[in-house]
Structure formats: C-alpha cells, structure tokens
Amino acid sequence: MDEAMRVGDEETATPRNGPRNGPRTRAGEANEERILDAALDAFASRGYHGARIDAIAAAAGLSKPNLLYYFKTKDALYLAVLRRTLELWLEPLRELDEARDPRAALEAYVARKLAYSRDLPSASKLFALEILQGAPLLGRVLDGPLKALVDEKTAILRGWIAAGRLAPVDPHTLIFAIWATTQHYADFSSQVAAVTGRTLADEGFFEETREGLVRLLLDGAMPRG
Amino acid sequence: MDEAMRVGDEETATPRNGPRNGPRTRAGEANEERILDAALDAFASRGYHGARIDAIAAAAGLSKPNLLYYFKTKDALYLAVLRRTLELWLEPLRELDEARDPRAALEAYVARKLAYSRDLPSASKLFALEILQGAPLLGRVLDGPLKALVDEKTAILRGWIAAGRLAPVDPHTLIFAIWATTQHYADFSSQVAAVTGRTLADEGFFEETREGLVRLLLDGAMPRG
DNA sequence: GTCTATAAGCGGATAGAC
DNA sequence: GTCTATCCGCTTATAGAC
C-alpha cells in the first residue's frame, strides 16, 4: 500500500474520487458506483491485503482490466472507498446538539450510531480495520477533523456537567463508550450472533439493544435509589 | 488461508502447538516462543494477508527457511498464534464471581479487561481482526466454549437482578458493553491517541479511564438523585 | 538446526485488439 | 469502454549443502 498518499491530503489526491478527470458517461458513473460498493464489502470483510481486485471486479460485473480502467491501482480504489465513506462516518457526532435536553441528545446519538451499525456494517468494519492497523491512511483525519469535532462536543458535555445536567463523567470516556458499544454490533457481529443467536437486522433485537444501551450508559448497571 | 482447519478442531490439529512431534531442544523451544511473539505482533498489526513471514523471521532473529522449519506453513503459524492466545483471552470472564458483591465483581472485571488492553494490545487486536472478518478460524470457539461461558455468567447476572442487587439491564448488553469499552483502548489505540494525546501506557490515563468506565457503566451518565 | 539458492504460483498491472 | 492474453514482481515454500 502506498502510504505516501493519505486520505487527508486532498491537495495531492486525485481531484475527483473517480479515476479520470475527463468526461464520463452515465454508464461509467454507474460502473464506478458498483465497483465502490463491491470494493467496500471486499475491503471490509477481508482487509486491504486480503481483498482481491478480480473478485471485486466479478462482484461488480466487470473484468479485472476493466475495473483497472476506472481505478488505476488497488491503492487508488481503496483510497476512493475510504473517502466516499468518510463523511458518512463523521456525520452522526456532528448532530449532537447543545440545545437539546442532554438525555434526549445522548439517546438520539446512541440510536443514530446503532442504526449506522445495522445499515452500514461494512463501512464500520472498514474504518475499524483501518484504525486497528494504526490508521496509516486515516491518520490525518483522526488528529485533524475528528479531533476538532470531538473537542467541540466534549465542550458541550462539560457545559452540561457544569450545569448539573450530566453526571461528572469524563467526556472522552463517554464518547468512546458510545462509539465502542454501538460499533461493537457491526464490527463483532459474528461474535454477537454466536453468543446471542441474533443480529441487528432482527428488529426486536435492534430495539432491545438500543433500549439496553441507553439505559446502561445513562442510568448505569447498579440499582438507583 | 486454509479454512478447513479451525482453532476449535483439536482432533485434526497438530498435537502440539509446535511444528514437530519429536524431541525438541531448549534452544528450539526458545526459538518457537520468539517466533510466536513476533508473529503475534505481525498478524495483529498487518492482518493475516498483510503479514510477511520473512519479516516475522527477521523479527525473531531467524532466516525465513529456518522459521519454516519450526512452522511448516504460514497458516500453521497463524493457527498456533491464535491457539496460544486463546486461553488468555477467555480467562478474565471466568473470574466473574457470583459470590462477590456485584459492584466489586464488575469493577474487578472492568479493571482486568482494561489491564489486558494495556498489557496485551496485540492479542486484543488479533482477535478483533479475526472476529471482524467473520471469525473463519475462531467460529467454533465462539459458539462453543465462549457461548457456554457467557451463558454461565449471564445466569449470575440474572440472579443478581432477581435479588435486586443489579438494575434490570440485559445481561448480554452489559457483557458486550464491558468488552467493547475496554477493548476499544487496545483495538483503536491510534484513534484514542489522536483524540486525547494519551495511551493506556500512561499510568494516569489508565487510572482515569478505569475509574471513568466503572462510574459510567455502573452509575450511568445522568445525575443521580 | 541453520543457511543460500531456487522453484512455484499468485495477483496486480499492462498490451493491444475490438 | 471492454475484453483476452500476458507480463512480471513478490511471497510462500522447497532443495540441498553445511
């Protein structure tokens, strides 16, 4: 993997996510989308090195050379997948709203993140794999935009704590706990399925889990009173 | 990767973890240990396909053919690493003790798991990678020994709930939440470091995190009273 | 047990016709 | 834009001397 070009380096990156800058047809656009979808699944379930471009091409209904017409290298394809998924990944935290009631705001955030784990498990796994391996390509996103966003939101949490509207929990610990618990159901779905026999696709399990996480994170496991 | 032989299939597996059944010297034992240590780091940080056996050999201070004298194939080496780490991984949950006070027992479990994330981050990452990719080799461990262990412990939690010593939280949700939050600091250490600037190796951060997780999981984020 | 040298095969990437 | 055929480097694994 060419680590010289990272996701954060928008200047040095290909201007468009796509492979070429010239004119493109609607059929070409559609192919690109299908390739990116197939690549997301492949990279998420097998990792960068484990993914095979001929398998991605087959899943997208193209030949291997034809895929490489759209994305010149495996690296470029991986980068394009990462970029396309990035905004989606950062977005839920952005919605954490100072103006709302703390309980309602945190409940909504947990629900949003858990729905993301249900609806886009491959995206969650892709970022998990990338970060697990030291975030070679996402590094600058983590200590740039992500850190800035987290700083902004921890300030909101601190304000709530100062106002007595939130218990004096460490804001980073709380945010990490919400990420970890909700993403767990996507990233470790095979383990969750092995232990419980259920997945988030099961609507009842989703609702029980959402309710259970909210109760646990907001009210704790010890009896109140 | 040869998926025909899984970690759970002890019958069909090599009798010893090592490569040969015959006599082995103390130097040979030491080499095996060094290989397994190097292999754990490599597989955890680069994944099965990304790990290179010549790099593992170099890290262990041997030539590549010499490593292959100890472990005939890359697959056998990966399997041996997974087996050696398995017991260590299952052990903390075993210690969750019905006889103890629920609060003390859960505090101890969180502390144990967090210390594991600090002391053996590669082991945590290795299992995370394996489970993330669908647990091709650990599958039978998850729905066998792990499920049995979890069933046993959820029964304890249910007992505590029935006795009013624990709030009515779903036992699976609680166990998953403890796993997810504590393992997060090992598996996503690069993200934690990017956002907070600290790691569990920092004793102050470890203690704050342990305290913070215990407070959050046991007492919740909302003010009591 | 350990090495140097080499075989064997896979998988990313290219050539070039259509 | 899409394909068939092919190249070539890289990595696992083996041969065989020491």
Side-chain angles (χ1 to χ4, degrees):
Chain A
M1 175 158 21
D2 178 12
E3 299 194 2
M5 195 198 296
R6 291 165 177 244
V7 170
D9 302 352
E10 297 306 333
E11 304 72 42
T12 61
T14 311
R16 294 175 179 227
N17 275 342
R20 312 199 156 272
N21 307 329
R24 289 183 294 166
T25 65
R26 17 265 166 271
E29 296 266 7
N31 275 344
E32 254 180 56
E33 290 301 312
R34 288 214 318 285
I35 292 170
L36 288 169
D37 288 343
L40 172 59
D41 285 343
F43 286 130
S45 67
R46 316 184 65 86
Y48 177 84
H49 294 283
R52 300 291 171 232
I53 64 172
D54 58 351
I56 295 170
L62 287 78
S63 66
K64 181 168 57 167
N66 199 11
L67 181 150
L68 288 168
Y69 167 79
Y70 286 97
F71 298 91
K72 287 207 185 314
T73 65
K74 186 183 188 182
D75 226 66
L77 175 57
Y78 182 71
L79 227 53
V81 172
L82 223 45
R83 278 213 194 85
R84 193 181 64 149
T85 320
L86 182 61
E87 264 317 297
L88 222 55
W89 183 61
L90 288 175
E91 204 264 340
L93 184 54
R94 291 220 172 88
E95 294 185 3
L96 187 70
D97 185 359
E98 177 157 29
R100 295 179 78 168
D101 172 63
R103 175 167 217 115
L106 291 173
E107 279 188 8
Y109 184 43
V110 168
R112 190 102 168 62
K113 285 285 293 179
L114 196 65
Y116 185 94
S117 284
R118 176 195 57 197
D119 300 333
L120 300 164
S122 288
S124 184
K125 288 181 182 182
L126 180 74
F127 285 114
L129 279 172
E130 176 67 16
I131 294 168
L132 227 126
Q133 305 189 12
L137 293 157
L138 276 181
R140 302 199 182 166
V141 173
L142 299 186
D143 52 33
L146 179 66
K147 182 179 189 317
L149 185 58
V150 170
D151 285 347
E152 179 190 328
K153 299 306 181 182
T154 52
I156 294 177
L157 297 178
R158 265 183 267 272
W160 284 340
I161 292 170
R165 304 172 71 198
L166 199 68
V169 292
D170 175 66
H172 281 138
T173 306
L174 176 56
I175 288 175
F176 291 157
I178 294 174
W179 289 352
T181 51
T182 54
Q183 291 169 193
H184 185 87
Y185 290 85
D187 302 343
F188 299 95
S189 58
S190 63
Q191 180 173 260
V192 171
V195 169
T196 69
R198 304 166 83 188
T199 72
L200 290 186
D202 173 343
E203 201 176 321
F205 186 63
F206 177 88
E207 190 47 39
E208 286 169 34
T209 301
R210 187 198 59 71
E211 164 76 27
L213 284 179
V214 164
R215 177 189 299 265
L216 181 63
L217 292 168
L218 298 187
D219 298 322
M222 299 309 295
R224 294 226 158 191
Chain B
M1 177 160 15
D2 177 14
E3 298 193 6
M5 194 199 295
R6 290 167 178 243
V7 171
D9 302 353
E10 298 307 333
E11 303 72 44
T12 60
T14 311
R16 296 176 178 224
N17 275 343
R20 311 198 157 272
N21 306 330
R24 288 182 294 164
T25 65
R26 18 266 167 267
E29 296 267 6
N31 274 345
E32 255 180 55
E33 289 302 312
R34 288 213 318 286
I35 293 170
L36 288 169
D37 289 343
L40 172 59
D41 285 343
F43 286 130
S45 67
R46 315 184 64 87
Y48 176 83
H49 294 282
R52 299 294 170 227
I53 64 172
D54 58 350
I56 295 171
L62 288 77
S63 67
K64 181 169 55 172
N66 199 11
L67 181 152
L68 289 167
Y69 166 80
Y70 286 97
F71 299 91
K72 287 207 184 317
T73 65
K74 186 183 187 180
D75 226 68
L77 175 58
Y78 182 71
L79 228 54
V81 172
L82 224 45
R83 278 211 194 87
R84 194 182 62 150
T85 318
L86 183 60
E87 265 317 296
L88 221 54
W89 183 60
L90 289 175
E91 203 264 339
L93 184 54
R94 291 220 172 89
E95 294 185 1
L96 187 70
D97 185 1
E98 177 158 28
R100 295 179 78 168
D101 173 64
R103 173 166 219 115
L106 292 173
E107 279 188 9
Y109 184 43
V110 168
R112 190 102 168 64
K113 285 285 291 178
L114 196 66
Y116 185 95
S117 285
R118 176 194 59 198
D119 301 333
L120 299 165
S122 288
S124 185
K125 288 182 182 183
L126 181 74
F127 285 114
L129 279 172
E130 176 68 15
I131 294 167
L132 230 124
Q133 305 188 12
L137 293 157
L138 276 181
R140 301 198 182 167
V141 172
L142 299 186
D143 53 33
L146 179 67
K147 183 180 188 316
L149 184 59
V150 170
D151 284 348
E152 179 192 328
K153 299 305 181 181
T154 52
I156 294 177
L157 297 179
R158 267 183 265 274
W160 284 341
I161 292 169
R165 304 173 70 198
L166 198 68
V169 293
D170 176 66
H172 281 138
T173 306
L174 176 56
I175 288 176
F176 291 156
I178 293 174
W179 289 352
T181 52
T182 54
Q183 291 169 191
H184 185 86
Y185 290 85
D187 302 344
F188 299 95
S189 58
S190 64
Q191 181 173 259
V192 171
V195 169
T196 69
R198 304 166 83 188
T199 71
L200 290 187
D202 173 343
E203 202 176 320
F205 187 63
F206 178 87
E207 190 47 38
E208 285 168 34
T209 301
R210 188 197 60 71
E211 165 74 28
L213 284 179
V214 164
R215 178 189 297 265
L216 182 63
L217 292 168
L218 298 187
D219 298 321
M222 298 309 295
R224 295 224 156 191

